[in-house]
């Protein structure tokens, strides 16, 4: 087995453990390359099927192509697609693009908060109706006890401290200094009432591994990652106002792999185009202990 | 070499006593192998200058803010770094004694280790403890770095003394260190290249020595083991394959091989190897996570181990002699129920005998202890509530490893050294007796299950409110009946048990329940699903019913507080759950557990128009 087959096998194992141990399980799909690889690995684990819902928190400021791509793939792969949103904050114009909040506060209001309340079922969930091809109010209000997330250890400092199965307390907060141990292929799948577990099948993957795998498996990825003849592309995707292009002429996964291995990005951090990281002292730790992914 | 299409990756853990310079060694490895993001080194140096503190390579790793404040690494962080040979994931294990569980988490996924000892301070408590833990975790390749040689003027005599002392410690625990290297992480001596300051040193620099680590060879030639993770059938997506999925922990298997599932003992033959978006294959080997279809339809559950009939089986018992290392502040004590996780199996377990505890830091042993304290390693006997299938560490390491869960957290880890012969217990005698007293049908339970299109089982619904349990049981019966299943509801209420008097004696109650268990056995042996509610059932009685009802499955539902040990409950609901919701969840669970998998169970939503049951939402 080569290194990608090993990474794949480990992720598949973790996904199946999650499916066996958690009756209320969901996966977060940010539409980016990592969680799309995670979605593909889910189809690997379950032989072409995705046996749990996918949740997307729509900040309303996502780059429009992302939403189009999400819905096309959801219909094609018959995904149980759930969308959550902080409609109140958007209506009250309490956001960074409205000029009323800092970037960090905006992340909290448009991402962390709706994520927490969508997972718990307190806020409305919108579910893709595959016949009508539109989102309808979801009647299921059960809270999700296991949440699969596509974070990678090499992204930034706080993510490098994660476990594969990471308990979160009743407020959704993460106690970095007191995490239970994880041994061999045994994970912490027990949890006390009111808490939930985040599951991280991609922890050992690097940005390069992700692109190598996308290339090998021919996984459909949003075209925002590629140069569309203007010498610019996104390396990491987020909200339009806080995500910058990078100068690059990479037009396909192979070009990107080359760029990451030996080219201009071999020594430049992936999230360098994400403005909120800089506001949080570079560590994202404040946001992440509060529930940011 | 950089353009090699598939570069090898290796996980390495760095261990050692606090302040012996582990983070500095990693910082140096990152910097000297040119693996840092552009500007990172300068950024950290600048930050040190602004805060008027001397720069250290360790600061490169201190990504978390509170970590920098404490000056110690608080969790196993991962760093990625490349050499000419391969890519490394370095797991930075903390040195502070409080954080041993983090070092263990890091080490349990490593293939090799670097252990750092301060030349000035010499071998310390955690130098030994970490060395011992590495051996228990199964890490066989270790490089020992004697760091901070600059503080002892690069003297060979200091280095030799530490090497001798640590070597003799390692030999006591049967570990062979691959090599010792004198280092100065601060000055970069012997990290990427050999330093003239240690001209007396005959070995390789650290990076070159790491490149000599060997990749773990897959256990192709050992007996095949696959702990079953799931039995999947995605009928709602018009997929009729029934797939057994798991990770091959050792050995190899091919289409046509005869297999047995343990502990149930059910047998079949491999019909196909299933993978998504991958070329067809007829053989799968250890390390892979494929799926399998079988030639005959047998009901197996997650937690069993699939083995090859032609190869040696794992041990089948409930008494094991083991090594346990304990990581929780709450000690492990005898006669308390814990949860054992081994392979994909979870089962109640008790510590029954403590033979010997060992302080991992100095190898002093204590034969008279009554409990295993944090950071101690013990040789002891554990007993599982039912026999399980497992291997000895000397045979197949992967399927000999287990963890112990206490209070929702993994609190200990261990390996199986030996199995212990068991005396038969009371239940065993009881159930053997009852089986002897009947002439048995010649139609197998499998044949019955195939015709009924569902497995025989006993579903017991327990909870505070008896009347409510009865409602759920009746609705479940109606739903399964309308779905063409052979099902019957028989409740045992207080009236039956009390027999018109205020109370019945324990003996009388036991006799009633024994009768009930015999009746239940007739139902399940005939291939039916029996649903029952029983007043005030306790753990002991539940065990008795389960044993008498074997080999049919028993499925326990608890609504609100039933007073039954949570390990015995398969599905738990709040006391206020809507009955139809409970029925939906039960059938969904049975389907997911593959107990109803063969039957095209209509979805609840569709059925709701045909029956009186409807979903609450």
């Amino acid at each position: 087995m080569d290194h990608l087959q090993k990474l794949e096998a480990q992720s598949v194992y973790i996904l199946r453990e999650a499916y066996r141990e958690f009756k209320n399980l969901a996966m977060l799909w940010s539409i980016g390359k990592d969680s799309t690889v995670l979605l593909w690995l889910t189809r690997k684990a379950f032989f072409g099927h995705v046996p749990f819902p996918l949740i997307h928190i729509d900040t309303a400021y996502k780059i429009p192509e992302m939403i189009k791509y999400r819905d096309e793939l959801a219909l094609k792969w018959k995904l149980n697609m759930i969308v959550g949103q902080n409609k109140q904050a958007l209506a009250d114009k309490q956001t960074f693009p409205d000029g009323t909040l800092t970037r960090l506060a905006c992340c909290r209001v448009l991402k962390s908060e709706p994520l927490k309340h969508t997972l718990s079922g307190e806020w409305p969930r919108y579910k893709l109706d595959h016949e009508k091809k539109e989102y309808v109010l979801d009647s299921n209000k059960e809270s999700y006890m296991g949440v699969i997330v596509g974070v990678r250890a090499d992204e930034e400092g706080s993510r490098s401290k994660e476990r594969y199965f990471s308990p979160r307390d009743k407020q959704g907060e993460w106690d970095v200094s007191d995490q239970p141990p994880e041994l061999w292929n045994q994970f912490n799948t027990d949890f006390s009432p009111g808490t939930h577990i985040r599951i991280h099948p991609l922890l050992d993957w690097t940005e390069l591994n992700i692109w190598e795998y996308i290339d090998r498996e021919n996984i459909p990825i949003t075209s925002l990652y590629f140069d569309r003849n203007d010498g610019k592309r996104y390396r990491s995707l987020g909200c339009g106002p806080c995500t910058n292009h990078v100068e690059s002429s990479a037009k396909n996964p192979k070009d990107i792999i080359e760029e990451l291995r030996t080219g201009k990005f071999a020594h430049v951090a992936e999230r360098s185009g994400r403005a909120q990281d800089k506001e949080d002292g570079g560590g994202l730790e404040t946001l992440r202990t509060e529930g940011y992914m | 070499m950089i353009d090699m299409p598939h570069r090898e990756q290796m996980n390495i853990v760095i261990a050692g006593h606090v302040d012996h310079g582990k983070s500095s060694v990693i910082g140096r490895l990152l910097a000297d192998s040119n693996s840092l993001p552009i500007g990172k080194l300068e950024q950290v140096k600048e930050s040190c200058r602004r805060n008027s503190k001397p720069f250290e390579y360790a600061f490169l790793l201190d990504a978390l803010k509170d970590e920098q404040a404490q000056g110690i690494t608080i969790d196993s962080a991962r760093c990625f770094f490349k050499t000419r040979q391969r890519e490394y994931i370095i797991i930075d294990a903390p040195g502070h004694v409080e954080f041993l569980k983090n070092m263990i988490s890091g080490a349990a996924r490593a293939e090799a280790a670097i252990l750092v000892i301060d030349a000035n301070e010499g071998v310390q408590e955690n130098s030994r403890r970490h060395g011992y833990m590495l051996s228990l975790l199964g890490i066989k390749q270790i490089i020992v770095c004697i760091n901070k040689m600059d503080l002892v003027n690069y003297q060979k005599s200091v280095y030799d003394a530490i090497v001798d002392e640590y070597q003799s410690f390692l030999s006591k625990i049967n570990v062979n260190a691959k090599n010792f290297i004198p280092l100065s992480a601060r000055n970069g001596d012997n990290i990427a290249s050999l330093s003239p300051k240690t001209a007396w040193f005959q070995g390789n620099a650290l990076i070159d020595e790491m490149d000599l680590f060997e990749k773990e060879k897959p256990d192709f030639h050992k007996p095949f083991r696959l702990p079953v993770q799931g039995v999947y059938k995605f009928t709602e997506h018009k997929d009729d394959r029934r797939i057994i999925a798991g990770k091959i922990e050792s050995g190899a298997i091919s289409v046509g091989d005869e297999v047995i599932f343990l502990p149930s003992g059910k047998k079949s033959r491999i019909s196909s190897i299933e993978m998504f978006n991958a070329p067809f294959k007829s053989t799968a080997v250890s390390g892979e996570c494929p799926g399998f279809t079988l030639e005959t339809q047998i009901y197996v559950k997650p937690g069993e181990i699939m083995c090859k009939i032609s190869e040696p089986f794992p041990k089948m018992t409930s008494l094991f002699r083991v090594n346990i290392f304990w990581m929780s502040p709450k000690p492990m004590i005898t006669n308390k129920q814990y949860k054992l996780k081994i392979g994909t199996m979870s089962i109640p377990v008790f510590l029954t005998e403590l033979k010997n505890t060992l302080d991992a830091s100095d190898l002093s042993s204590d034969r008279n202890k009554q409990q295993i304290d944090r950071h101690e390693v013990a040789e002891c006997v554990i007993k599982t509530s039912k026999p399980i299938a497992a291997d000895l560490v000397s045979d197949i390491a992967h399927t000999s490893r287990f963890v112990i869960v206490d209070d929702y957290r993994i609190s200990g880890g261990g390996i199986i050294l030996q199995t212990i012969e068991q005396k038969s217990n009371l239940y065993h005698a009881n159930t053997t007796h009852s089986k002897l007293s009947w002439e048995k049908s010649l139609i197998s339970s499998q044949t019955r299950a195939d015709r009924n299109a569902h497995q025989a089982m006993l579903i017991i619904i327990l909870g505070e409110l008896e009347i409510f349990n009865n409602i759920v049981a009746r609705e479940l019966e109606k739903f399964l009946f309308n779905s063409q299943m052979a099902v019957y509801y028989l409740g045992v209420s207080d009236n039956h048990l009390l027999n018109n008097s205020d109370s019945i004696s324990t003996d009388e109650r036991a006799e009633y329940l024994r009768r009930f268990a015999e009746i239940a056995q007739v139902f399940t042996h005939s291939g039916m699903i029996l649903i029952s509610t029983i007043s005030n059932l306790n753990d002991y009685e539940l065990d008795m019913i389960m044993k008498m009802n074997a080999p049919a499955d028993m499925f326990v539902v608890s609504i609100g507080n039933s007073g039954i040990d949570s390990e015995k409950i398969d599905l738990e609901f709040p006391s206020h759950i809507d009955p139809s919701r409970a029925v939906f969840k039960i059938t969904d669970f049975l389907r997911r557990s593959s107990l109803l998998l063969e039957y095209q169970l209509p979805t609840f939503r569709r059925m709701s128009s045909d029956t009186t049951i409807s979903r609450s939402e």
Side-chain angles (χ1 to χ4, degrees), chain A residues 1-10 12-25 40 42-51 77-78 127 139-142 152-164 167 174-193 197 203-206 208-209 212 216-219 258 260-262 264 266-269 280-286, chain B residues 2-9 11 34-38 61 63-67 73-78 80 82 87 89 99 101-102 104-106 108-109 111 136-138 215-216 228-230 232 234 237 239 241 243-247 249 274-278 285-292 302-303 325 327 339 341-346 401-403 405 408-415 567 570-571 581 585 589 592 605 617:
Chain A
M1 291 171 85
D2 67 26
H3 72 287
L4 287 183
Q5 286 167 324
K6 282 187 185 157
L7 286 168
E8 179 192 87
Q10 175 71 352
V12 160
Y13 187 85
I14 292 168
L15 285 164
R16 289 183 188 151
E17 286 297 282
Y19 184 56
R20 182 161 53 88
E21 297 274 8
F22 293 95
K23 286 168 193 98
N24 287 314
L25 182 67
W40 186 264
T42 305
R43 300 177 82 210
K44 284 265 176 188
F46 303 104
F47 308 95
H49 306 281
V50 181
W77 287 354
K78 301 186 174 55
K127 180 178 175 158
S139 58
N140 176 17
K141 292 186 169 55
E142 274 182 47
R152 306 191 328 265
D154 79 327
E155 285 180 89
E156 44 80 37
S158 71
R159 287 183 171 100
S160 76
K161 313 268 167 168
E162 285 282 11
R163 301 273 203 257
Y164 297 113
W174 178 38
D175 187 352
V176 190
S177 63
D178 185 26
Q179 303 191 64
E182 218 165 46
L183 291 176
W184 304 304
N185 267 338
Q186 299 294 350
F187 309 109
N188 285 284
T189 49
D190 297 83
F191 54 96
S192 53
I197 303 251
L203 218 47
D204 293 337
W205 294 61
T206 63
L208 179 59
N209 298 150
E212 288 171 329
R216 175 183 293 185
E217 295 281 328
N218 204 11
I219 303 170
E258 191 53 33
L260 289 172
R261 274 208 189 127
T262 55
K264 55 188 291 189
H267 296 285
V268 179
D280 196 18
L284 270 188
E285 193 207 342
T286 317
Chain B
I2 289 287
D3 286 330
M4 247 171 57
H6 301 304
R7 286 169 58 83
E8 194 172 85
Q9 277 186 339
N11 287 334
N34 196 25
S35 302
L36 289 171
I38 286 173
L61 303 183
L64 282 178
K65 284 178 278 184
D66 68 339
E67 201 179 84
T73 320
I74 56 167
D75 204 331
S76 29
R78 279 164 249 214
F80 295 79
K82 291 173 221 171
E87 289 172 10
I89 299 171
F99 303 134
K101 59 186 164 60
N102 300 323
I104 300 247
S105 304
R109 55 177 89 112
E111 290 168 81
L136 281 179
L137 289 163
K215 288 294 287 182
E216 197 185 336
V228 175
Q229 280 192 295
Y232 306 132
F234 299 101
H237 292 129
D239 183 346
R241 290 175 298 173
I243 302 175
I244 313 274
K247 181 181 183 201
E249 295 289 3
E274 300 287 332
M275 296 178 89
F276 170 73
N277 197 45
V285 297
S286 82
E288 296 180 29
C289 289
F292 301 91
F325 46 94
M327 292 168 282
K339 177 171 168 179
K341 291 176 81 174
I342 181 163
T344 51
M345 163 84 77
S346 292
R401 294 168 175 164
F402 61 85
V403 296
V405 179
Y408 306 112
R409 292 164 78 105
I410 292 177
S411 298
I415 49 178
E567 289 289 343
D570 294 287
L571 203 51
R581 182 81 190 140
K585 299 293 277 185
F589 183 88
R592 281 179 57 162
R605 206 180 285 281
E617 306 93 1

Side-chain angles (χ1 to χ4, degrees), chain A residues 267-280:
Chain A
H267 296 285
V268 179
E270 177 186 2
R271 292 179 64 92
S272 54
R274 301 287 284 271
Q276 68 270 40
D277 293 27
K278 298 188 178 76
E279 249 183 36
D280 196 18

